[in-house]
Amino acid sequence: MDFLRPTSWADALAAKAEHPDALVIAGGTDVMVELNFDQRRPPALLDLGGVVDLTGWDVHDGRIRLGAAVPYARVITELGDRLPGLAIASRTVGSPQIRNRGTVGGNLGSASPAGDAHPPLLACGADVEVCSVRGTRTVSISEFFTGVKRNALEPDELVAAVHLDAASGPQQFSKVGTRNAMVIAVCTFALALHPRERTVGTGLGSAAPTPRRATEAEQFLAEELADTGRWDVPTALPDSVNGKFGDLAAAAAAPIDDVRGSSDYRKHAIRVLARRTLGWTWNDYCAGRQQCA
Amino acid sequence: MRVNVTVNGRSHQADDVWEGESLLYMLRERLGLPGSKNACEQGECGSCTVYLDGVPACACLVAAGQAEGRDVGTVEGLADGAQLDPVQEAFVETGAVQCGFCTPGLLVAAHDLLERDPRPSDTDVREALAGNLCRCTGYEKILDAVRLASDRRAERSQA
Ligand SMILES: Cc1cc2nc3c(=O)[nH]c(=O)nc-3n(C[C@H](O)[C@H](O)[C@H](O)COP(=O)(O)OP(=O)(O)OC[C@H]3O[C@@H](n4cnc5c(N)ncnc54)[C@H](O)[C@@H]3O)c2cc1C
Ligand code: FES
Ligand code: FES
């Protein structure tokens, strides 16, 4: 096995082009489990730990560029105000030790249907910045996941960053697990209200072969809020709206039965999580508006 | 491959390191530092917790080569010579150690918590130690230990 340790982004891309079968390692929280258990014997490891370009974030015109190798712990402490949905989801990942090392780039690399960063990225309409020696391209997060644990990366490509707007409204994330730390999600739901664009974003985790949005639920809620003038004058939502939003979210799920939960349970849980997160975000939205008024 | 790493303030060189090897293996088997324990090798139990550049991490999930040129702190480095760290003393005094297998990882995690937050609430302690499993103590004595260590540190910094 080789151990490749590029110290610049250009060197990392060159190394990946030269060794397309090298296994990239960032935080190592997925990769090392596979190596420790002999599930994988790649010809080389390509360590991104020396590439400082990947470990920062910055803001341009309200849009955040989050480097692929920023660990969850820093998303929580440094970006909780700008990216509340991603920060809440990051707080549910593993344990402090895992959050200190695990990265959003690694979550995208593994592309697990249960990856906790994915639903908030979907709800925020994130773009993935993908690079190779051939150049840079942008992949919409809705098109990034191509199958169970498969993503849109070509063998010579690396994730450089994700781009997403700083929150212009409340965001939430909720996760069902068998205990409140160190669990793979049974299912998750992320919700973001985008009052500036008058749109709604959602993301479902562990509820289909890939993380996905509930687009009908998004459209229903955005239209409902527009038609009733509630974006401008927020008042309590009728139960019928909460209920229909939950039903449409559950209808977007296509879960499997497995050891963590049955398909029926997951659909039910998505319905509950969708209603619950809508309650939380809508309360926040109403409270925020009243303060401004 | 060869890996150069500083562990508990001393520089070390490890030779013939296999590229897929973990930092935990390198510490225990090549550098003769068996304090960090190997129980699960999948990040679930926290018994291998070490500081990596000052940040707690599971040594079983760090590739040895990723530690090249970095600073590692293990449980062996917590005491100052024969003087135990307050968190170590507190674990001994409250009976937070039974078989002791989880102890090195818990000590590093608890030490880190008190460095960041000298007066953590019980909820903060539970959250900070959520990545460390103990099969013996039932955790109550571990919570007692962290409370006691927090008090001791406060006394010492006033003294
Ligand atoms: C005990 C434990 C608990 C966990 N709990 C959770 C949890 O609650 N929620 C959750 O979502 N995940 C969890 N995980 C999984 C893991 O922590 C996350 O998937 C994490 O985001 C992986 O990031 P990493 O940097 O450690 O990735 P690595 O292990 O370094 O890499 C993961 C994959 O991504 C690829 N990769 C990494 N960076 C890039 C890049 N820049 N470009 C292209 N490919 C790249 C790698 O080649 C590899 O295939 C847990 C893992 C453990 C061990
Ligand atoms: S041995 Fe590393 S976490 Fe269990
Ligand atoms: S004392 Fe035995 S595992 Fe904790």
Side-chain angles (χ1 to χ4, degrees):
Chain A
M1 200 185 276
D2 281 334
F3 197 88
L4 310 169
R5 202 163 201 288
T7 50
S8 72
W9 183 229
D11 287 351
L13 294 176
K16 189 65 175 140
E18 204 179 321
H19 308 271
D21 49 5
L23 181 61
V24 173
I25 179 166
T29 58
D30 280 319
V31 164
M32 286 306 291
V33 176
E34 293 185 331
L35 292 183
N36 289 344
F37 285 83
D38 275 342
Q39 286 157 1
R40 213 150 161 177
R41 278 289 172 270
L45 286 177
L46 173 56
D47 175 25
L48 296 181
V51 183
V52 284
D53 313 42
L54 297 180
T55 57
W57 58 267
D58 48 40
V59 195
H60 285 291
D61 299 329
R63 201 155 165 87
I64 291 152
R65 180 181 184 277
L66 175 67
V70 177
Y72 294 109
R74 286 185 49 209
V75 173
I76 297 164
T77 53
E78 297 170 25
L79 287 164
D81 52 345
R82 295 178 175 91
L83 302 176
L86 185 62
I88 297 168
S90 300
R91 284 196 57 149
T92 78
V93 173
S95 62
Q97 291 93 322
I98 302 298
R99 295 192 289 273
N100 285 342
R101 296 282 300 160
T103 66
V104 173
N107 216 224
L108 289 169
S110 293
S112 158
D116 285 324
H118 306 148
L121 295 182
L122 286 160
C124 292
D127 287 314
V128 185
E129 181 186 330
V130 169
C131 297
S132 70
V133 289
R134 297 173 289 123
T136 298
R137 65 188 179 111
T138 298
V139 183
S140 151
I141 188 74
S142 314
E143 273 145 37
F144 186 78
F145 306 105
T146 54
V148 179
K149 300 196 176 174
R150 290 201 355 257
N151 60 36
L153 293 179
E154 299 291 339
D156 63 344
E157 287 181 326
L158 297 175
V159 175
V162 291
H163 296 250
L164 60 181
D165 289 333
S168 67
Q171 302 183 348
Q172 271 296 345
F173 172 83
S174 201
K175 172 169 172 176
V176 176
T178 41
R179 61 189 183 110
N180 65 3
M182 292 290 265
V183 284
I184 306 181
V186 175
C187 62
T188 57
F189 190 82
L191 176 60
L193 301 181
H194 306 299
R196 210 174 39 214
E197 296 80 12
R198 311 228 148 179
T199 56
V200 171
T202 61
L204 273 59
S206 270
T210 63
R212 58 163 71 159
R213 289 164 54 187
T215 40
E216 284 183 27
E218 293 174 359
Q219 276 157 19
F220 161 73
L221 184 59
E223 276 167 26
E224 178 68 28
L225 295 178
D227 292 349
T228 56
R230 280 196 173 82
W231 282 119
D232 297 315
V233 186
T235 54
L237 289 174
D239 280 349
S240 59
V241 171
N242 287 320
K244 180 144 187 216
F245 182 72
D247 290 344
L248 289 172
I256 54 164
D257 292 305
D258 71 5
V259 286
R260 280 179 282 133
S262 68
S263 166
D264 284 347
Y265 174 74
R266 284 191 161 105
K267 277 206 166 215
H268 172 71
I270 289 286
R271 183 179 289 113
V272 173
L273 294 185
R275 295 176 61 145
R276 197 176 283 168
T277 50
L278 177 55
W280 292 335
T281 48
W282 192 249
N283 272 345
D284 285 351
Y285 189 63
C286 292
R289 284 293 151 136
Q290 275 154 19
Q291 276 162 17
C292 295
Chain B
M1 66 177 168
R2 169 175 287 182
V3 177
N4 297 287
V5 59
T6 304
V7 187
N8 302 327
R10 263 191 60 203
S11 46
H12 289 264
Q13 195 171 73
D15 280 310
D16 301 320
V17 173
W18 175 58
E19 287 71 15
E21 179 172 317
S22 69
L23 171 61
L24 179 60
Y25 187 92
M26 187 177 85
L27 289 170
R28 289 175 56 83
E29 309 297 336
R30 298 191 193 278
L31 302 182
L33 292 165
S36 315
K37 297 290 176 263
N38 179 354
C40 72
E41 292 197 288
Q42 51 182 320
E44 298 276 349
C45 74
S47 59
C48 64
T49 304
V50 299
Y51 282 113
L52 182 60
D53 284 343
V55 177
C58 296
C60 70
L61 298 183
V62 177
Q66 293 186 292
E68 169 69 35
R70 301 199 187 245
D71 221 56
V72 174
T74 70
V75 68
E76 285 96 342
L78 289 186
D80 183 5
Q83 175 66 52
L84 294 183
D85 184 86
V87 79
Q88 292 175 302
E89 283 176 356
F91 266 66
V92 174
E93 282 175 39
T94 56
V97 183
Q98 287 188 30
C99 80
F101 207 84
C102 66
T103 311
L106 272 163
L107 288 173
V108 174
H111 182 269
D112 170 66
L113 169 66
L114 295 177
E115 288 287 307
R116 285 183 289 112
D117 179 1
R119 284 288 180 198
S121 68
D122 277 6
T123 315
D124 295 334
V125 178
R126 284 174 190 276
E127 190 169 2
L129 302 186
N132 294 76
L133 292 180
C134 174
R135 295 292 80 170
C136 305
T137 64
Y139 301 105
E140 288 304 325
K141 297 198 173 200
I142 292 170
L143 290 170
D144 290 344
V146 178
R147 287 184 204 111
L148 179 63
S150 164
D151 293 344
R152 286 274 166 78
R153 283 171 58 117
E155 277 167 29
R156 282 197 197 165
S157 62
Q158 272 164 16

